[in-house]
C-alpha cells in the first residue's frame, strides 16, 4: 500500500511534465501536442517565457538577423541571458507555417550525449550543406526570453535530450538501517535453525533414554519405527520442523510491516510541519518517498547547488562609495553606530522620479540628497552606471523595462534609473539617457567588451565634442590602471571595498578617463587593424585595450548584494556544528561562487588558507594537489590542538567520546582551517582514477569545498566519489534540472521549489521551499526519525526474543516435544494486538528533546554519523535483554507453580494455568518496558500503552468465556489466588530493577549530550520560562577583516559586438537631427561600410 502511494506520487509528478503542451506543425497547421508526443523531425513553435520541449535546431525567430535569447538556469544554473542565432537561409521562412511545414532538410549530427556546451552536425538543404554548432541549438529545459516566437526542428526528444542524458539513472535507494536489518534477519534465521537443531538433538537423546519407556502414556505414531534408536531418530527429525514452526516468531516478519507504517506516518509529520511552510509561495515541505526518513538523521555530506538554492537569484544595489564617502549605511544619530536593516527600516522615497521602480529599496537618504544637490562626483558616478553596460531597453505596456545579460548589470542600471539617471534608448551608435528629466544623447564610439581575463568593460562616448572613456571592473584590475594622484581617495575606497567584501557584497570599481581627439583617432586606427588580424587576434586586441584603459580617474565603487535566501548562513553554521560537511557544486563562475562562499560563511578570513585549483592539464592539477596536501600536513604538524566548546554548558570527556567515537583523523579539527575551490576543467582531471584519491585526501581535510563551472554529470561524479571512498551518507540539494543527476546519485535528494522549474523537485526524495528548511529537515525530523526508528528496533527485537524464547525454556521441561507454553490464540495475536500499537506510537511520536533544543544544540545530531543508536552491538544487547527476560519470565512462574496447591487444595500445576500466568506477566513486563522507554508522552502513547494492557485482559476473557477458548478459566483461576499477584510483582521487580539501575547509573555518572539537554529542557519547563541560551551562529552581516576581493560579475563576452553591429536591435531609432550616423544593413545582416564613424568596433 505504501509503495503504491509513493508510485502514484511519482506518476503524478511525471505526468505534470509529460502533459505540458507544445505547438507542433501538423499538415501545415499548428496543433497543440503533449511533450510526450513530440518526436524527432517535428517542427515546433516556441513563444516567449516558454520552456523548450526538446533539443531543436533553430529555424527562424521574431528578432532581426535570426537572433533569440534564452535562459539556461535549468541546465547550468545561470540566469543571465544567452544568445542563439539561426542560419540566414532558414530565417527567411519567418513564421510562414506552410513553408516551415514543408521543411525537408536532412540533419546529420552526433549521437545523443551529455555535453551541454558542444554540438556538431550539418544540415543538407536545397543542395547545400551548412555547418551546425551549439549556437544554433536550443536545448530542452531552456526558457525563451525577450523573443516573441521562434521555430525549430526537433533533433533529440525524450531521453535522448542532453538534459535527460545528464539526469542520470534512477536508483532504488535503501537506508543503512535496511541493509543492517537484512543482515540481522539472516543471522536470526541461523539462530532459529541452531535452536531447532539443538532441540532436535535433545529430543533424540530424551526419546532414546527416557521417552521409549513412557509409550504407555505417550505412544509413538504408527509411522515411527518401534526400534528405540530408529524411532527416536525419526521423532527428532520431525521435532526439528515442529520447533521451526513454534519458534518462527523469533524471525520478525511483522517487523518490515511495522517499519513501513512508521516511515509512512513520519512522512506525514514532515508534510504537516507548519515551520517548513513557505507562505510567500504557499509551498509546504513534502516527503516524496516513505523509505528514507531515518537516513535524514545520518547525513555526513551535503552537496548543494548555489544559484536558486543558496541564493534568491536576485541582485540588489546595496551600498556604494563615491569620492571616498560611503553611502548605504544607516547611522544612529545619537551613538553614530551603524544600524541593522530590518523589515521595519524606512526606505528612501523615490516617488518624485516618474521612472522609479516601486520594488527598488535603498535606506540611506543622503545619496538622493547628493543627487538633488547636483554633486558632481555623484552625478558622474550614476552617469557611468547609466552608460557603461550592454543592457537593452524595451517598452512594455507603456512601461520601460530592461533586458540585461546579467543580473549584476540589471541591478546597476536599475539603481541609476531610480536615482534619476534613466537609461532610455540605444542604437548601434548612440546611447540616450535622461538625467532629472533632461535627455542626454551620447555617441557610442566603441565598446571594449568584458571577458573573464580582462575582468572589466569600457565604453567610449562623445558628447558635445568631449570624448570620455567609462570603465567598470574588479578592484585590483581598475587600481592598476589609475592615475598616480588622489592617493587619499584610493585608500579610502579600498577600505570601503574591504568593508563591502567583508559583508559578502559583490563589488565593482568605477573609473573614467577624458580622451583627446588625436589620440583616439590614432588608437582607433590601430584597433581596426587588430580587429581584422587573422593571427593572435585576441592578444592584439587586449594589448590595444591596455593602451587606452590607463591613467583613469577613480569615481568610486558599487556594492551589490546577491541575495542569499533567508537564514542560509545560520543554517550552514548549524549544520557544520552538527558535523556535516557542506560542498557547493555550481555551474557558476569562480569569482561569483567564492563571493557567495564568503556571504554564507562557508569561507571565512579566519581560515589558514583557501586552495584554488584552476589548472587545465593533468600534470598541473596533480602538482597543485600535491602542493596543497603538503601545506596541510605542514600546518597540521606544527599546529597546537585547541579545545573548542560546541555547546553552551560544560561537557565532560565521557559525553564527548560518546559522539566522537570512530571519528577518523581526516575529520578532525586540525583539517578544518582550510577550504578548497576547484573549477570544472581541473575537476575533469581530479576525478581521473589516478588522481581521485589525492583529490579526496585534500578535499576531506578541508572544512568547505566549492566546485565551480561543473557540469551536471560532474556533480553526480563528485557525489559518487564520496559515496564510494568515504562510505558516508550523502545528501544533494538543488532547484534546477542541472541538479537532477546529483540528486539521484546521493543517498537522499532534496529538491528546492525555486525559480528554475520543477525538474529537481520531481526527481527528489524530499522537497522544500527554502534552503533554511534543510536545517529543520535534518536536525529535527531527520534526527527524530533516526532516534525513533532505532528505539523502535531495539524494543521490537527485545519483545520478540522475550516472547519466543519462553518456548525454548519450556522445551527442557516437556521432553523437547515441541509443546507450546502459550495458548495458540495468544501466539497468534501477541504481535498484532498486544504489543503492536505501543511500539508504533513510540516509533512515530517519541522524542528525546523538542525541536527547539534539537536546533539549539546541533551536536545532538552526531550519533547518527557513527550508527551509535542501532548497530550490531545494540542488537545483541537487545537480544540478550530479551534472552534474560524470557528466562526470568518462565522460570519464576514455573518454580512457583510446580507442584503448586491453592489454600483450598486445588492443584495449580497444570500446563494451561502456567501458560496463562507466563503470558500475562509477559504482557505486563513488555508494557512496563515500553513505558520506561517512552521519553515523550502524547495522548496516543497513553491510549496505546495502557489501552493495550487493558485490551489484553478484555480479549482474554472475551475469547475464553464468550467464544469458549481452550484455556477457559485458567487466567481467572490464577488471578483469584494471591500466588499469581506475588509472582507477578516478583517477576516484574526482578526484570525492571536492573534496567532502572543501569539507566540511572549512566545518566548520573556518564550522561550523554542528549541526557544533559533533556535535563536542561525539563528544568526549563519546571521553571515555566524559556531558556536564556543564545543560538551561537554567525550573523549574515558580520564585518570582518577581508583578504579578498568582493569582485564578482556574472557577465558573458560578446554582447558588445552584437550591440555595435546592430544585429541585436529590433528597430533603429530615427535620427532626430543629431550628428550621429546610423548604418544600413545588407540582406545578410552585416553593416555596410559607408564611411564616417566605424559601424562595428570590438
Amino acid at each position: 500500500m505504501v509503495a503504491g502511494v509513493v508510485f502514484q506520487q511519482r506518476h503524478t509528478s511525471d505526468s505534470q511534465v509529460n502533459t505540458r503542451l507544445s505547438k507542433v506543425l501538423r499538415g501545415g497547421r499548428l496543433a497543440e501536442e503533449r511533450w510526450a508526443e513530440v518526436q524527432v523531425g517535428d517542427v515546433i513553435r516556441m513563444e516567449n517565457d516558454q520552456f523548450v520541449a526538446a533539443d531543436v535546431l533553430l529555424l527562424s525567430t521574431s528578432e532581426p538577423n535570426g537572433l533569440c535569447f534564452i535562459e539556461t538556469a535549468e541546465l547550468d544554473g545561470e540566469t543571465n541571458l544567452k544568445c542563439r542565432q539561426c542560419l540566414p537561409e532558414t530565417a527567411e521562412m519567418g513564421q510562414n507555417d506552410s513553408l516551415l511545414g514543408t521543411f525537408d532538410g536532412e540533419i546529420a549530427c552526433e549521437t545523443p550525449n551529455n555535453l551541454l556546451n558542444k554540438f556538431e552536425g550539418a544540415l543538407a538543404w536545397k543542395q547545400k550543406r551548412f555547418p551546425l554548432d551549439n549556437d544554433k541549438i536550443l536545448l530542452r529545459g531552456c526558457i525563451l526570453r525577450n523573443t516573441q516566437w521562434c521555430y525549430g526542428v526537433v533533433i533529440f526528444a525524450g531521453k535522448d535530450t542532453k538534459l535527460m542524458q545528464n539526469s542520470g539513472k534512477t536508483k532504488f535507494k535503501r537506508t543503512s538501517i535496511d541493509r543492517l536489518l537484512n543482515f540481522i534477519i539472516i543471522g536470526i534465521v541461523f539462530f532459529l535453525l541452531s535452536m531447532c537443531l539443538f532441540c532436535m538433538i535433545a529430543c533424540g537423546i530424551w526419546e532414546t533414554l527416557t521417552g521409549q519407556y513412557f509409550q504407555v502414556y505417550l505412544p509413538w505414531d504408527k509411522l515411527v519405527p518401534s526400534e528405540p534408536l530408529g524411532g527416536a531418530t525419526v521423532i527428532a527429525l520431525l521435532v526439528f520442523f515442529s520447533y521451526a514452526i513454534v519458534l518462527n516468531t523469533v524471525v520478525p516478519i511483522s517487523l518490515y510491516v511495522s517499519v513501513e507504517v512508521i516511515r509512512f506516518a513520519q512522512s506525514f509529520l514532515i508534510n504537516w510541519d507548519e515551520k517548513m511552510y513557505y507562505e510567500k509561495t504557499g509551498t509546504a515541505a513534502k516527503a516524496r518517498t516513505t523509505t528514507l526518513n531515518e537516513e535524514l538523521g545520518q547525513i555526513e555530506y551535503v552537496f548543494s547547488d548555489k544559484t536558486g538554492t543558496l541564493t534568491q537569484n536576485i541582485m540588489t544595489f546595496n551600498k556604494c562609495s563615491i569620492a571616498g564617502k560611503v553611502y548605504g549605511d544607516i547611522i544612529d544619530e545619537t551613538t553614530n553606530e551603524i544600524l541593522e536593516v530590518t523589515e521595519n527600516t524606512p526606505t528612501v522615497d523615490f516617488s518624485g522620479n516618474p521612472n522609479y521602480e516601486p520594488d527598488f529599496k535603498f535606506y540611506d537618504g543622503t545619496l538622493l540628497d547628493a543627487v538633488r544637490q547636483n554633486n558632481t562626483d555623484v552625478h558622474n558616478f550614476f552617469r557611468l552606471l547609466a552608460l557603461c553596460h550592454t543592457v537593452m531597453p524595451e517598452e512594455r505596456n507603456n512601461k520601460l523595462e530592461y533586458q540585461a545579460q546579467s543580473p549584476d548589470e540589471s541591478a546597476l542600471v536599475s539603481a541609476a534609473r531610480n536615482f534619476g539617471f534613466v537609461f532610455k534608448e540605444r542604437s548601434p551608435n548612440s546611447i540616450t539617457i535622461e538625467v532629472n528629466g533632461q535627455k542626454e544623447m551620447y555617441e557610442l564610439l566603441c565598446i571594449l567588451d568584458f571577458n573573464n581575463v580582462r575582468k572589466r568593460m569600457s565604453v567610449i562616448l562623445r558628447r558635445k565634442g568631449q570624448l570620455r572613456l567609462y570603465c567598470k571592473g574588479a578592484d585590483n584590475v581598475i587600481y592598476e590602471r589609475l592615475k598616480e594622484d588622489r592617493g587619499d581617495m584610493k585608500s579610502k575606497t579600498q577600505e570601503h571595498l574591504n568593508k563591502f567584501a567583508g559583508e559578502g557584497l559583490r563589488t565593482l570599481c568605477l573609473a573614467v578617463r577624458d580622451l583627446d581627439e588625436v589620440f583616439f583617432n590614432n588608437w582607433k586606427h590601430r584597433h581596426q587593424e587588430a580587429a581584422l588580424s587573422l593571427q593572435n587576434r585576441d592578444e592584439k586586441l587586449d594589448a590595444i585595450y591596455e593602451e587606452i584603459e590607463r591613467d583613469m580617474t577613480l569615481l568610486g565603487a558599487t556594492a551589490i548584494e546577491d541575495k542569499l535566501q533567508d537564514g542560509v548562513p545560520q543554517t550552514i553554521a548549524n549544520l557544520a556544528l552538527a558535523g556535516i560537511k557542506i560542498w557547493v557544486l555550481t555551474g557558476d563562475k569562480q569569482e561569483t561562487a567564492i563571493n557567495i562562499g564568503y556571504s554564507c560563511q562557508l569561507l571565512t578570513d579566519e581560515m589558514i588558507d583557501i586552495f584554488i585549483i584552476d589548472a587545465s592539464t593533468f600534470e598541473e592539477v596533480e602538482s597543485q594537489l600535491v602542493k596543497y596536501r603538503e601545506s596541510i600536513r605542514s600546518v597540521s604538524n606544527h599546529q597546537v590542538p585547541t579545545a573548542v566548546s560546541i555547546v553552551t554548558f560544560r561537557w565532560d570527556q565521557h559525553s564527548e567520546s560518546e559522539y566522537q567515537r570512530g571519528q577518523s583523523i581526516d575529520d578532525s579539527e586540525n583539517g578544518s582551517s582550510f577550504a578548497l575551490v576547484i573549477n570544472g576543467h581541473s575537476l575533469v582531471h581530479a576525478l581521473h582514477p589516478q588522481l581521485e584519491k589525492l583529490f579526496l585526501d585534500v578535499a576531506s581535510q578541508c572544512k568547505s569545498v566549492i566546485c565551480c563551472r561543473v557540469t551536471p554529470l560532474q556533480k553526480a561524479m563528485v557525489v559518487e566519489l564520496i559515496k564510494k571512498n568515504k562510505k558516508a551518507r550523502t545528501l544533494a540539494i538543488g532547484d534546477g534540472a542541472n541538479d537532477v543527476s546529483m540528486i539521484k546519485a546521493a543517498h537522499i535528494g532534496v529538491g528546492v521549489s525555486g525559480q528554475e522549474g520543477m525538474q529537481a523537485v520531481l526527481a527528489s526524495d524530499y522537497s522544500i521551499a527554502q534552503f533554511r528548511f534543510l536545517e529543520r529537515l535534518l536536525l529535527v525530523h531527520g534526527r527524530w526519525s533516526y532516534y525513533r526508528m532505532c528505539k523502535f528496533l531495539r524494543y521490537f527485537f527485545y519483545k520478540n526474543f522475550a516472547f519466543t524464547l519462553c518456548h525454548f525454556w519450556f522445551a527442557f521441561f516437556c521432553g523437547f516435544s515441541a509443546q507450546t507454553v502459550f495458548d495458540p490464540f495468544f501466539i497468534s495475536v501477541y504481535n498484532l494486538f498486544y504489543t503492536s500499537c505501543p511500539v508504533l506510537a513510540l516509533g512515530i511520536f517519541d522524542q528525546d528533546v523538542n525541536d527547539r533544543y534539537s536546533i539549539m544544540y546541533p551536536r545532538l545530531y552526531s550519533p547518527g554519523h557513527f550508527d551509535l543508536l542501532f548497530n550490531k552491538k545494540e542488537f545483541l544487547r537487545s537480544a540478550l535483554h530479551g534472552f534474560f527476560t524470557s528466562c526470568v519470565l518462565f522460570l519464576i512462574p514455573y518454580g512457583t507453580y510446580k507442584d503448586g496447591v491453592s489454600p483450598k487444595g486445588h492443584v495449580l500445576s497444570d500446563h494451561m494455568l502456567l501458560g496463562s500466568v507466563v503470558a500475562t506477566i509477559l504482557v505486563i513486563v513488555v508494557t512496563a518496558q515500553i513505558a520506561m522507554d517512552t521519553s515523550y508522552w502524547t495522548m496516543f502513547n497513553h491510549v496505546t500503552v495502557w489501552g493495550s494492557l487493558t485490551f489484553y485482559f478484555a480479549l482474554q476473557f472475551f475469547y475464553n468465556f464468550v467464544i469458549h477458548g481452550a484455556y477457559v478459566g485458567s487466567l481467572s483461576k490464577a488471578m483469584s489466588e494471591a500466588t499469581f499477584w506475588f509472582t507477578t510483582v516478583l517477576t516484574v521487580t526482578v526484570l525492571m530493577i536492573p534496567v532502572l539501575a543501569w539507566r540511572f547509573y549512566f545518566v548520573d555518572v556518564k550522561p550523554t549530550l542528549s541526557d544533559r539537554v533533556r535535563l536542561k529542557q525539563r528544568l526549563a519547563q519546571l521553571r515555566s520560562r524559556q531558556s536564556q541560551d543564545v543560538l551561537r551562529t554567525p550573523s549574515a552581516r558580520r564585518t570582518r577583516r577581508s583578504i579578498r576581493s568582493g569582485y564578482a560579475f556574472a557577465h558573458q563576452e560578446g554582447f558588445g559586438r552584437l550591440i555595435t553591429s546592430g544585429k541585436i536591435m529590433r528597430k533603429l531609432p530615427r535620427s532626430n537631427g543629431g550628428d550621429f550616423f546610423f548604418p544600413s544593413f545588407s540582406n545578410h545582416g552585416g553593416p555596410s561600410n559607408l564611411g564616417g564613424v566605424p559601424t562595428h568596433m570590438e
Side-chain angles (χ1 to χ4, degrees):
M1 181 185 73
V2 175
V5 171
V6 175
F7 175 79
Q8 180 60 36
Q9 290 178 347
R10 298 276 182 177
H11 176 72
T12 302
S13 299
D14 291 341
S15 296
Q16 291 175 359
V17 175
N18 291 329
T19 55
R20 284 180 180 173
L21 297 179
S22 180
K23 293 182 178 179
V24 183
L25 279 174
R26 297 280 190 240
R29 292 185 178 181
L30 287 172
E32 287 192 339
E33 298 278 5
R34 294 186 304 166
W35 276 27
E37 296 173 358
V38 173
Q39 300 177 357
V40 174
D42 285 343
V43 175
I44 62 176
R45 176 187 171 101
M46 296 149 283
E47 296 179 347
N48 195 37
D49 296 332
Q50 282 188 349
F51 279 97
V52 179
D55 292 353
V56 302
L57 169 65
L58 192 60
L59 294 179
S60 63
T61 76
S62 60
E63 306 306 296
N65 306 294
L67 292 171
C68 77
F69 301 95
I70 56 172
E71 182 183 292
T72 59
E74 283 219 5
L75 297 175
D76 54 20
E78 295 184 2
T79 55
N80 51 300
L81 299 184
K82 294 180 173 62
C83 183
R84 296 291 184 265
Q85 186 174 20
C86 63
L87 291 167
E89 289 77 8
T90 62
E92 295 174 356
M93 292 187 287
Q95 54 180 335
N96 189 321
D97 291 345
S98 59
L99 287 177
L100 290 162
T102 57
F103 177 74
D104 58 354
E106 182 178 309
I107 301 171
C109 64
E110 60 192 14
T111 56
N113 59 68
N114 54 33
L115 301 177
L116 295 175
N117 299 316
K118 181 176 176 292
F119 181 85
E120 293 179 354
L123 169 65
W125 187 48
K126 295 184 177 179
Q127 299 179 348
K128 292 182 181 179
R129 287 182 64 83
F130 305 94
L132 303 177
D133 57 23
N134 206 50
D135 289 337
K136 298 176 179 61
I137 304 298
L138 303 185
L139 301 181
R140 174 176 174 169
C142 297
I143 303 176
L144 202 64
R145 298 291 194 201
N146 303 339
T147 307
Q148 294 180 13
W149 52 262
C150 68
Y151 285 83
V153 59
V154 176
I155 298 176
F156 299 126
K159 294 182 179 179
D160 291 337
T161 59
K162 290 182 182 285
L163 175 64
M164 298 301 291
Q165 290 283 311
N166 271 285
S167 295
K169 295 181 179 178
T170 301
K171 300 178 181 178
F172 176 70
K173 297 181 179 181
R174 289 165 47 197
T175 67
S176 56
I177 285 183
D178 280 335
R179 291 188 289 270
L180 177 60
L181 281 180
N182 291 340
F183 176 82
I184 288 174
I185 296 302
I186 292 173
I188 291 176
V189 169
F190 282 106
F191 175 67
L192 170 63
L193 295 176
S194 64
M195 284 196 299
C196 294
L197 184 63
F198 173 83
C199 291
M200 180 188 76
I201 295 172
C203 176
I205 294 172
W206 189 87
E207 291 290 348
T208 301
L209 299 178
T210 307
Q212 62 173 314
Y213 304 113
F214 282 81
Q215 291 190 47
V216 175
Y217 303 102
L218 298 172
W220 289 357
D221 195 275
K222 296 179 180 179
L223 298 175
V224 177
S226 57
E227 190 268 323
L229 185 60
T233 302
V234 172
I235 291 174
L237 288 173
L238 294 174
V239 160
F240 176 88
F241 296 103
S242 298
Y243 269 110
I245 296 172
V246 171
L247 301 175
N248 78 88
T249 51
V250 77
V251 181
I253 303 300
S254 61
L255 173 67
Y256 287 100
V257 177
S258 300
V259 165
E260 290 304 319
V261 171
I262 289 173
R263 286 171 174 168
F264 189 61
Q266 287 172 348
S267 298
F268 279 103
L269 295 180
I270 293 174
N271 297 345
W272 295 338
D273 190 344
E274 293 181 353
K275 293 183 180 179
M276 292 199 294
Y277 177 77
Y278 191 49
E279 291 185 1
K280 286 186 178 180
T281 59
T283 307
K286 185 173 180 61
R288 298 172 51 81
T289 181
T290 61
T291 59
L292 302 173
N293 295 334
E294 65 271 15
E295 196 88 331
L296 287 170
Q298 298 181 276
I299 298 301
E300 296 173 66
Y301 284 83
V302 169
F303 298 92
S304 174
D305 177 41
K306 181 192 75 69
T307 308
T309 304
L310 299 178
T311 66
Q312 298 182 31
N313 267 350
I314 299 173
M315 303 287 184
T316 58
F317 183 79
N318 192 283
K319 296 178 183 179
C320 63
S321 171
I322 304 174
K325 183 179 179 181
V326 172
Y327 296 94
D329 287 331
I330 308 172
I331 308 297
D332 190 326
E333 295 180 358
T334 58
T335 63
N336 286 329
E337 293 183 351
I338 298 176
L339 300 178
E340 194 83 11
V341 175
T342 65
E343 293 182 357
N344 299 322
T345 304
T347 60
V348 176
D349 182 14
F350 293 100
S351 58
N353 177 359
N355 293 292
Y356 89 106
E357 297 168 304
D359 294 336
F360 181 81
K361 292 183 180 180
F362 198 77
Y363 301 93
D364 184 4
T366 60
L367 184 56
L368 185 59
D369 293 339
V371 171
R372 290 172 176 170
Q373 294 166 9
N374 296 320
N375 184 302
T376 304
D377 292 324
V378 174
H379 275 236
N380 287 335
F381 178 90
F382 282 114
R383 272 196 178 88
L384 189 150
L385 294 183
L387 294 168
C388 184
H389 54 77
T390 58
V391 173
M392 298 297 298
E394 186 177 15
E395 287 280 349
R396 285 189 181 178
N397 301 322
N398 296 321
K399 183 180 178 183
L400 181 64
E401 294 186 4
Y402 294 142
Q403 304 299 333
Q405 188 224 345
S406 69
D408 308 76
E409 282 215 322
S410 179
L412 293 176
V413 177
S414 174
R417 169 183 179 168
N418 285 278
F419 279 98
F421 295 75
V422 185
F423 170 53
K424 298 289 287 186
E425 191 175 56
R426 78 155 68 243
S427 75
N429 289 60
S430 71
I431 298 178
T432 302
I433 65 173
E434 187 179 288
V435 179
N436 295 327
Q438 300 296 319
K439 278 197 174 183
E440 295 181 2
M441 185 175 289
Y442 293 80
E443 184 178 359
L444 176 60
L445 301 176
C446 192
I447 294 179
L448 283 58
D449 210 357
F450 173 91
N451 65 36
N452 289 330
V453 177
R454 284 168 39 76
K455 296 184 179 179
R456 64 190 184 277
M457 75 163 291
S458 302
V459 295
I460 301 175
L461 304 170
R462 178 190 284 129
R463 183 170 186 262
K464 296 181 179 179
Q466 182 183 8
L467 288 174
R468 178 167 284 186
L469 176 141
Y470 292 99
C471 181
K472 66 182 180 186
D475 51 2
N476 60 323
V477 173
I478 298 296
Y479 266 63
E480 292 171 357
R481 292 159 177 80
L482 296 178
K483 288 181 181 179
E484 295 299 326
D485 59 349
R486 303 191 73 177
D488 182 52
M489 177 186 167
K490 287 194 286 188
S491 61
K492 284 185 177 179
T493 305
Q494 186 61 59
E495 290 178 10
H496 299 159
L497 285 166
N498 291 341
K499 175 179 177 291
F500 297 156
E503 295 173 359
L505 303 176
R506 300 158 67 106
T507 61
L508 283 177
C509 274
L510 311 184
V512 68
R513 178 187 180 185
D514 289 326
L515 306 173
D516 63 69
E517 200 76 38
V518 176
F519 171 77
F520 173 72
N521 288 333
N522 180 271
W523 177 86
K524 180 179 64 175
H525 177 72
R526 286 181 286 111
H527 174 265
Q528 289 278 40
E529 291 179 351
L532 297 173
S533 175
L534 299 178
Q535 294 182 345
N536 301 323
R537 180 173 176 270
D538 290 339
E539 290 80 0
K540 291 179 180 178
L541 282 173
D542 285 342
I544 291 295
Y545 292 163
E546 287 287 346
E547 291 183 16
I548 201 166
E549 291 176 325
R550 62 170 59 177
D551 297 329
M552 295 185 291
T553 301
L554 183 64
L555 292 179
T558 62
I560 294 175
E561 183 179 9
D562 184 2
K563 276 202 166 182
L564 292 174
Q565 291 186 10
D566 295 336
V568 167
Q570 291 85 348
T571 298
I572 289 177
N574 246 18
L575 293 180
L577 286 176
I580 299 173
K581 289 194 172 184
I582 300 175
W583 290 27
V584 174
L585 311 179
T586 177
D588 217 332
K589 52 192 291 190
Q590 182 175 301
E591 293 90 348
T592 307
I594 290 175
N595 192 271
I596 290 298
Y598 277 101
S599 298
C600 61
Q601 310 294 330
L602 278 172
L603 306 178
T604 65
D605 292 319
E606 287 75 28
M607 287 180 167
I608 294 175
D609 204 353
I610 297 173
F611 305 133
I612 297 179
I613 300 176
D614 53 5
S616 55
T617 66
F618 182 91
E619 292 75 16
E620 290 173 343
V621 172
E622 183 178 24
S623 175
Q624 287 184 333
L625 285 171
V626 170
K627 174 186 172 183
Y628 294 149
R629 183 179 62 181
E630 294 305 317
S631 298
I632 293 174
R633 288 178 177 175
S634 175
V635 172
S636 299
N637 291 336
H638 294 87
Q639 192 177 51
V640 178
T642 56
V644 179
S645 176
I646 303 298
V647 294
T648 59
F649 51 87
R650 188 180 61 82
W651 170 11
D652 64 21
Q653 182 180 2
H654 300 295
S655 61
E656 181 175 0
S657 62
E658 177 72 22
Y659 293 161
Q660 296 281 353
R661 197 178 306 131
Q663 189 170 10
S664 59
I665 295 173
D666 59 24
D667 289 329
S668 66
E669 288 296 329
N670 288 344
S672 64
S673 300
F674 302 93
L676 178 68
V677 179
I678 183 171
N679 63 35
H681 296 296
S682 302
L683 192 61
V684 171
H685 303 296
L687 294 176
H688 190 278
Q690 295 180 9
L691 278 188
E692 63 177 19
K693 292 292 178 65
L694 177 60
F695 168 65
L696 191 63
D697 186 27
V698 175
S700 61
Q701 296 184 74
C702 294
K703 182 179 180 181
S704 305
V705 178
I706 299 177
C707 302
C708 322
R709 287 296 187 195
V710 292
T711 65
L713 206 57
Q714 281 180 319
K715 292 184 179 184
M717 292 171 68
V718 172
V719 175
E720 292 289 355
L721 178 69
I722 295 296
K723 287 174 62 177
K724 180 177 69 174
N725 293 282
K726 301 290 289 184
K727 307 298 182 185
R729 265 83 63 165
T730 59
L731 179 147
I733 178 171
D735 70 323
N738 58 319
D739 305 313
V740 169
S741 55
M742 74 170 179
I743 284 174
K744 289 182 176 179
H747 290 97
I748 290 180
V750 178
V752 178
S753 306
Q755 300 179 15
E756 297 183 19
M758 295 292 289
Q759 289 293 324
V761 170
L762 297 180
S764 67
D765 304 304
Y766 299 87
S767 65
I768 54 179
Q770 293 275 285
F771 181 84
R772 72 175 186 269
F773 296 146
L774 183 65
E775 175 186 47
R776 187 170 180 84
L777 184 65
L778 296 184
L779 301 189
V780 178
H781 290 286
R783 197 183 73 82
W784 279 352
S785 295
Y786 174 67
Y787 171 81
R788 292 162 176 167
M789 185 60 69
C790 293
K791 185 178 274 193
F792 160 79
L793 291 173
R794 294 198 303 265
Y795 176 79
F796 198 97
F797 285 118
Y798 153 77
K799 76 178 183 68
N800 259 34
F801 275 83
F803 165 61
T804 305
L805 292 182
C806 288
H807 298 299
F808 181 74
W809 303 122
F810 185 57
F812 288 90
F813 301 94
C814 67
F816 300 95
S817 61
Q819 173 65 48
T820 61
V821 68
F822 300 124
D823 179 2
F825 174 75
F826 178 83
I827 296 173
S828 302
V829 300
Y830 171 77
N831 276 323
L832 182 61
F833 291 148
Y834 302 151
T835 60
S836 62
C837 291
V839 74
L840 287 177
L842 177 82
I844 295 172
F845 298 109
D846 200 42
Q847 54 182 256
D848 53 348
V849 299
N850 61 28
D851 55 345
R852 175 171 168 264
Y853 281 87
S854 294
I855 294 175
M856 183 177 290
Y857 300 108
R859 200 65 182 172
L860 288 167
Y861 188 83
S862 298
H865 293 160
F866 313 117
D867 300 316
L868 292 181
L869 300 187
F870 186 75
N871 48 45
K872 295 172 187 174
K873 181 179 177 181
E874 289 296 325
F875 163 72
L876 288 175
R877 186 177 294 171
S878 299
L880 290 174
H881 187 196
F883 181 89
F884 170 74
T885 300
S886 67
C887 184
V888 174
L889 269 174
F890 176 78
L891 293 180
I892 289 181
Y894 182 83
T896 302
Y897 285 95
K898 184 178 183 297
D899 301 327
V901 179
S902 71
K904 296 181 180 180
H906 300 156
V907 176
L908 300 178
S909 58
D910 67 277
H911 167 250
M912 290 185 177
L913 190 143
L914 175 65
S916 298
V917 170
V918 173
T920 303
I921 299 175
L922 170 64
V923 172
I924 294 173
V925 166
V926 296
T927 302
Q929 183 65 47
I930 200 167
M932 290 172 52
D933 285 346
T934 301
S935 303
Y936 181 72
W937 286 89
T938 67
M939 177 187 69
F940 296 100
N941 294 89
H942 282 291
V943 169
T944 55
V945 171
W946 314 123
S948 293
L949 194 59
T950 305
F951 185 69
Y952 165 74
F953 290 103
L955 190 60
Q956 282 294 314
F957 280 92
F958 177 81
Y959 172 71
N960 289 319
F961 290 98
V962 177
I963 304 180
H964 303 294
Y967 280 53
V968 60
S970 298
L971 181 59
S972 57
K973 175 62 179 174
M975 294 177 66
S976 65
E977 302 291 340
T979 305
F980 168 80
W981 300 106
F982 174 78
T983 304
T984 300
V985 171
L986 177 63
T987 307
V988 172
T989 302
V990 169
L991 290 174
M992 293 295 108
I993 291 299
V995 176
L996 287 171
W998 174 275
R999 293 186 180 181
F1000 274 112
Y1001 172 79
F1002 276 96
V1003 168
D1004 187 53
V1005 178
K1006 295 182 179 181
T1008 64
L1009 180 59
S1010 176
D1011 296 329
R1012 291 173 178 271
V1013 176
R1014 186 162 61 250
L1015 176 61
K1016 191 177 184 68
Q1017 177 182 316
R1018 287 176 180 172
L1019 290 174
Q1021 292 171 347
L1022 289 174
R1023 295 176 187 138
S1024 300
R1025 63 180 179 84
Q1026 293 185 346
S1027 171
Q1028 298 300 314
D1029 293 301
V1030 179
L1031 180 60
R1032 300 180 304 101
T1033 50
S1035 168
R1037 277 284 168 268
R1038 181 170 60 92
T1039 304
R1040 58 187 184 278
R1041 177 185 59 84
S1042 177
I1043 57 173
R1044 64 190 170 90
S1045 166
Y1047 161 74
F1049 195 52
H1051 209 66
Q1052 185 180 0
E1053 185 178 11
F1055 267 56
R1057 289 194 295 273
L1058 286 171
I1059 288 172
T1060 53
S1061 69
K1063 291 182 178 181
I1064 201 171
M1065 304 297 172
R1066 280 202 174 90
K1067 61 181 181 179
L1068 296 177
R1070 295 180 180 179
S1071 176
N1072 56 358
D1075 297 328
F1076 305 156
F1077 172 77
F1078 297 101
S1080 61
F1081 296 91
S1082 64
N1083 291 335
H1084 296 292
S1088 302
N1089 190 2
L1090 301 178
V1093 179
T1095 60
H1096 178 73
M1097 290 188 181
E1098 287 295 328

